[in-house]
Amino acid sequence: MIRHRRICSAHILLSTFVLLSAAGNAQEKPELPNDLGQLIERKTELLARYSKLQEAGSADEAIGVLREIINIHRKSVQVAISNQEAADLIEKLRNVYVNDTEFMSDQLFQRGEYAESAALRKELEEFLTPILGEQHRSTVIMHWKAVTADRLAKASRAKQTAYVEALAIEPQATQALADGNLKEATQLYLQLIDAQVAVLGEAHPKVAADLNEYGRALWLQKNYPAAEAVYHRSLKVREASTGRDLQYATTTFNLGRVYQDTNRYEKAEEMYLQTAAIEEPALGSRNPSFLQTLNQLAILYDLMGESEKKAAVQQRVSAADPLATVLAHMPKGTYAAAAVEPVQLPQVAGLQMLPFEVMEAAGREQLGVSPLDIEALVALATLPISDPPINYGFLFRLKDGVTATFPWQVEGASEVVTFGDGLQYLKSSTGNSQLCAVEYEDGVVLVGTEECVRQSLSQPDTGPVGAMLLADREAGQLNGAVDMKLIRGFVQAGLQEMPALPPELEPLRSLPGEIDSMHLRVDLSRGLMLSLTLDATDVAAAEQTVQTLTNALAYGQQAAAAQIAEELAGEQPVDVATRKYVQRVASTFLQQLAPVQAENTVTLSTSLNDSTIVAPIAVALLLPAVQGARDAA
């Protein structure tokens, strides 16, 4: 997907001391005291007055009070520095001064008082420059905000009006683009850009940003020549205003997509490489945007038939992404796997009450390493599945800087086995365990059956299962994937050997022939959300799968209801009420699990939040309780 503009928060981190210049004190009132306590007391009074004026709708008076508050902020910073107050106090006063002054400048801007707004923004730019540096994002943003207000102040009334009206349509343009109303979005962005250029001039970052969105609307309409021209214009404007920054990289990426879609692969490669060269030092090698650029470059090399370049780029992706790195060592014959990224679990809102401290302590005591030090863990099953009955393995990688002594590293616990072209692994030599292990140069470790380890060493391949796990990683904390095509014959043979099923369930035997792959997603961030997606061989197979699953679920509900009715036989009020309750719970969950078809995919999902998770627990507790009460009676 082509990229939108990047939106970054301008978090102001002030860490050094700087005296305010005399020029920045033009608005300071001479009667302000030189006592910090008195200044803070005065500010508290003014804040209360400002709130009342705001509530009363007295905007003009409120702005006047806000001016006094800003004067106090400015004076407070000067007094604190002069008195050599504590560094943290000075920093807090500076932050308050910057935030409130920017707020006031924005208020003045909205009121059309552009000259005063420009003066305040210029004052902040001069204040931030020696502290953060001229090239810091916060300083740059403040500079261009000051330029915007200054140019508006110097513009004619007609141009000011046109600019304000254009700003009002920007949300409409954004929404139109999001909704796919591309012609409307194109017209709105063109109107917006013309109004901005008339006031701000061509060389302004706001113009460059909206040109990027305008180009995207044209690209989505496959108007490639117009989109290319707009993107080139955006790059020229960006370079003339803020240089080759991340916004510039956003546009080079989008221009690369235009070149790729029009089969100009060498130009597309040039744009993607430019994008990556800007992003990696600014964002880091693990940033999703940078990885997206590399993945797009790999797709391009695949189209170009550049297999070596594609492999090199994919290696960069694997090295930057822990899960991708682990999955790159999966055996080619992997037909099922589940992935989790333990290091991220403490940040999941829904898991805050888990005993992570205990898990860490127990892990270090029993395993020599905390489970939360594992960046990515993948459990997998691979062919062949005849001898032993299942070949399995566990791939994982620890955080950078974390070391551990594994059991197979203990002297005498394992032996080195060499096979193929000098490939080696460790095989357990103690007890009845036949587990083997291998440690790769990129920090990935594999523990599993001997055949699984051999396959990983000789035939590593992320494969369809790994691709599914990577695609689903944002859908939950635990994800599973199965490639049915690899094991269809085994599963069908096993199902045929099963005893006869009730007529309603017999169609389940045909499911392996209708399904190519399965995805299981578990999201614990908001209660418990489960999702199972079945990728059918075609639309007709998906329709048949929906019918088979619907009938099977209905049968399961009826069977469960019959069993409960048998256990709760009787016409006592409690018996009748309990049967009704159980039926209501079963019906609710059946509705949640109803399969939903979209083309050739079928999805079953359910959500257990704080309230719904009580229901199955209540059913489990009620059944023995009611039976116990009946027996007691």
Side-chain angles (χ1 to χ4, degrees), residues 529-544:
M529 300 180 69
L530 301 173
S531 173
L532 174 65
T533 298
L534 309 176
D535 298 317
T537 55
D538 53 36
V539 174
E543 293 173 352
Q544 182 59 46

PDB file of all heavy atoms in Angstrom, residues 529-544:
ATOM      1  N   MET A 529     -10.012 -13.017  22.810  1.00  0.00           N
ATOM      2  CA  MET A 529     -10.604 -13.021  21.478  1.00  0.00           C
ATOM      3  C   MET A 529      -9.950 -14.122  20.660  1.00  0.00           C
ATOM      4  O   MET A 529      -8.726 -14.153  20.498  1.00  0.00           O
ATOM      5  CB  MET A 529     -10.417 -11.663  20.798  1.00  0.00           C
ATOM      6  CG  MET A 529     -11.044 -10.515  21.559  1.00  0.00           C
ATOM      7  SD  MET A 529     -10.805  -8.912  20.740  1.00  0.00           S
ATOM      8  CE  MET A 529     -11.852  -9.138  19.295  1.00  0.00           C
ATOM      9  N   LEU A 530     -10.785 -15.049  20.170  1.00  0.00           N
ATOM     10  CA  LEU A 530     -10.307 -16.182  19.387  1.00  0.00           C
ATOM     11  C   LEU A 530     -10.833 -16.063  17.962  1.00  0.00           C
ATOM     12  O   LEU A 530     -12.005 -15.724  17.754  1.00  0.00           O
ATOM     13  CB  LEU A 530     -10.770 -17.505  19.993  1.00  0.00           C
ATOM     14  CG  LEU A 530     -10.345 -17.786  21.439  1.00  0.00           C
ATOM     15  CD1 LEU A 530     -11.018 -19.049  21.944  1.00  0.00           C
ATOM     16  CD2 LEU A 530      -8.841 -17.930  21.511  1.00  0.00           C
ATOM     17  N   SER A 531      -9.987 -16.386  16.999  1.00  0.00           N
ATOM     18  CA  SER A 531     -10.399 -16.330  15.601  1.00  0.00           C
ATOM     19  C   SER A 531      -9.739 -17.469  14.848  1.00  0.00           C
ATOM     20  O   SER A 531      -8.526 -17.665  14.946  1.00  0.00           O
ATOM     21  CB  SER A 531     -10.012 -14.990  14.983  1.00  0.00           C
ATOM     22  OG  SER A 531     -10.254 -14.984  13.594  1.00  0.00           O
ATOM     23  N   LEU A 532     -10.557 -18.231  14.108  1.00  0.00           N
ATOM     24  CA  LEU A 532     -10.044 -19.317  13.278  1.00  0.00           C
ATOM     25  C   LEU A 532     -10.485 -19.055  11.845  1.00  0.00           C
ATOM     26  O   LEU A 532     -11.685 -18.981  11.567  1.00  0.00           O
ATOM     27  CB  LEU A 532     -10.577 -20.672  13.752  1.00  0.00           C
ATOM     28  CG  LEU A 532     -10.211 -21.871  12.871  1.00  0.00           C
ATOM     29  CD1 LEU A 532      -8.706 -22.103  12.877  1.00  0.00           C
ATOM     30  CD2 LEU A 532     -10.957 -23.127  13.322  1.00  0.00           C
ATOM     31  N   THR A 533      -9.524 -18.898  10.945  1.00  0.00           N
ATOM     32  CA  THR A 533      -9.822 -18.650   9.539  1.00  0.00           C
ATOM     33  C   THR A 533      -9.387 -19.856   8.714  1.00  0.00           C
ATOM     34  O   THR A 533      -8.256 -20.333   8.835  1.00  0.00           O
ATOM     35  CB  THR A 533      -9.101 -17.388   9.032  1.00  0.00           C
ATOM     36  OG1 THR A 533      -9.578 -16.254   9.762  1.00  0.00           O
ATOM     37  CG2 THR A 533      -9.364 -17.171   7.549  1.00  0.00           C
ATOM     38  N   LEU A 534     -10.299 -20.329   7.875  1.00  0.00           N
ATOM     39  CA  LEU A 534     -10.032 -21.454   6.991  1.00  0.00           C
ATOM     40  C   LEU A 534      -9.974 -20.932   5.558  1.00  0.00           C
ATOM     41  O   LEU A 534     -10.929 -20.309   5.080  1.00  0.00           O
ATOM     42  CB  LEU A 534     -11.137 -22.503   7.116  1.00  0.00           C
ATOM     43  CG  LEU A 534     -11.491 -22.951   8.539  1.00  0.00           C
ATOM     44  CD1 LEU A 534     -12.659 -23.918   8.517  1.00  0.00           C
ATOM     45  CD2 LEU A 534     -10.288 -23.591   9.205  1.00  0.00           C
ATOM     46  N   ASP A 535      -8.860 -21.163   4.889  1.00  0.00           N
ATOM     47  CA  ASP A 535      -8.713 -20.762   3.490  1.00  0.00           C
ATOM     48  C   ASP A 535      -9.105 -21.947   2.614  1.00  0.00           C
ATOM     49  O   ASP A 535      -8.367 -22.943   2.524  1.00  0.00           O
ATOM     50  CB  ASP A 535      -7.271 -20.340   3.201  1.00  0.00           C
ATOM     51  CG  ASP A 535      -6.854 -19.144   4.022  1.00  0.00           C
ATOM     52  OD1 ASP A 535      -7.658 -18.208   4.140  1.00  0.00           O
ATOM     53  OD2 ASP A 535      -5.728 -19.152   4.559  1.00  0.00           O
ATOM     54  N   ALA A 536     -10.279 -21.853   1.981  1.00  0.00           N
ATOM     55  CA  ALA A 536     -10.795 -22.955   1.167  1.00  0.00           C
ATOM     56  C   ALA A 536     -10.120 -22.975  -0.202  1.00  0.00           C
ATOM     57  O   ALA A 536      -9.494 -22.000  -0.636  1.00  0.00           O
ATOM     58  CB  ALA A 536     -12.299 -22.823   1.007  1.00  0.00           C
ATOM     59  N   THR A 537     -10.270 -24.102  -0.903  1.00  0.00           N
ATOM     60  CA  THR A 537      -9.653 -24.253  -2.216  1.00  0.00           C
ATOM     61  C   THR A 537     -10.285 -23.319  -3.238  1.00  0.00           C
ATOM     62  O   THR A 537      -9.618 -22.866  -4.163  1.00  0.00           O
ATOM     63  CB  THR A 537      -9.771 -25.701  -2.689  1.00  0.00           C
ATOM     64  OG1 THR A 537     -11.161 -26.082  -2.662  1.00  0.00           O
ATOM     65  CG2 THR A 537      -8.981 -26.638  -1.782  1.00  0.00           C
ATOM     66  N   ASP A 538     -11.574 -23.023  -3.082  1.00  0.00           N
ATOM     67  CA  ASP A 538     -12.259 -22.076  -3.965  1.00  0.00           C
ATOM     68  C   ASP A 538     -13.542 -21.618  -3.271  1.00  0.00           C
ATOM     69  O   ASP A 538     -13.834 -22.025  -2.128  1.00  0.00           O
ATOM     70  CB  ASP A 538     -12.555 -22.689  -5.334  1.00  0.00           C
ATOM     71  CG  ASP A 538     -13.300 -24.018  -5.233  1.00  0.00           C
ATOM     72  OD1 ASP A 538     -14.159 -24.167  -4.323  1.00  0.00           O
ATOM     73  OD2 ASP A 538     -13.032 -24.915  -6.055  1.00  0.00           O
ATOM     74  N   VAL A 539     -14.307 -20.778  -3.945  1.00  0.00           N
ATOM     75  CA  VAL A 539     -15.524 -20.218  -3.351  1.00  0.00           C
ATOM     76  C   VAL A 539     -16.547 -21.314  -3.065  1.00  0.00           C
ATOM     77  O   VAL A 539     -17.207 -21.311  -2.021  1.00  0.00           O
ATOM     78  CB  VAL A 539     -16.119 -19.134  -4.277  1.00  0.00           C
ATOM     79  CG1 VAL A 539     -17.462 -18.651  -3.724  1.00  0.00           C
ATOM     80  CG2 VAL A 539     -15.166 -17.966  -4.421  1.00  0.00           C
ATOM     81  N   ALA A 540     -16.688 -22.273  -4.001  1.00  0.00           N
ATOM     82  CA  ALA A 540     -17.653 -23.360  -3.798  1.00  0.00           C
ATOM     83  C   ALA A 540     -17.294 -24.184  -2.574  1.00  0.00           C
ATOM     84  O   ALA A 540     -18.176 -24.575  -1.784  1.00  0.00           O
ATOM     85  CB  ALA A 540     -17.702 -24.235  -5.045  1.00  0.00           C
ATOM     86  N   ALA A 541     -16.000 -24.444  -2.383  1.00  0.00           N
ATOM     87  CA  ALA A 541     -15.549 -25.197  -1.209  1.00  0.00           C
ATOM     88  C   ALA A 541     -15.809 -24.409   0.066  1.00  0.00           C
ATOM     89  O   ALA A 541     -16.161 -24.988   1.108  1.00  0.00           O
ATOM     90  CB  ALA A 541     -14.067 -25.530  -1.335  1.00  0.00           C
ATOM     91  N   ALA A 542     -15.646 -23.069   0.004  1.00  0.00           N
ATOM     92  CA  ALA A 542     -15.918 -22.230   1.170  1.00  0.00           C
ATOM     93  C   ALA A 542     -17.402 -22.301   1.541  1.00  0.00           C
ATOM     94  O   ALA A 542     -17.755 -22.383   2.727  1.00  0.00           O
ATOM     95  CB  ALA A 542     -15.518 -20.789   0.886  1.00  0.00           C
ATOM     96  N   GLU A 543     -18.272 -22.279   0.541  1.00  0.00           N
ATOM     97  CA  GLU A 543     -19.719 -22.377   0.807  1.00  0.00           C
ATOM     98  C   GLU A 543     -20.051 -23.715   1.460  1.00  0.00           C
ATOM     99  O   GLU A 543     -20.850 -23.781   2.401  1.00  0.00           O
ATOM    100  CB  GLU A 543     -20.489 -22.204  -0.503  1.00  0.00           C
ATOM    101  CG  GLU A 543     -20.383 -20.801  -1.092  1.00  0.00           C
ATOM    102  CD  GLU A 543     -21.003 -20.696  -2.470  1.00  0.00           C
ATOM    103  OE1 GLU A 543     -21.372 -21.761  -3.033  1.00  0.00           O
ATOM    104  OE2 GLU A 543     -21.115 -19.573  -3.002  1.00  0.00           O
ATOM    105  N   GLN A 544     -19.452 -24.784   0.956  1.00  0.00           N
ATOM    106  CA  GLN A 544     -19.690 -26.103   1.537  1.00  0.00           C
ATOM    107  C   GLN A 544     -19.152 -26.175   2.969  1.00  0.00           C
ATOM    108  O   GLN A 544     -19.770 -26.777   3.856  1.00  0.00           O
ATOM    109  CB  GLN A 544     -19.029 -27.174   0.684  1.00  0.00           C
ATOM    110  CG  GLN A 544     -19.248 -28.594   1.179  1.00  0.00           C
ATOM    111  CD  GLN A 544     -20.720 -28.959   1.254  1.00  0.00           C
ATOM    112  OE1 GLN A 544     -21.480 -28.702   0.320  1.00  0.00           O
ATOM    113  NE2 GLN A 544     -21.140 -29.549   2.365  1.00  0.00           N
TER     114      GLN A 544
END
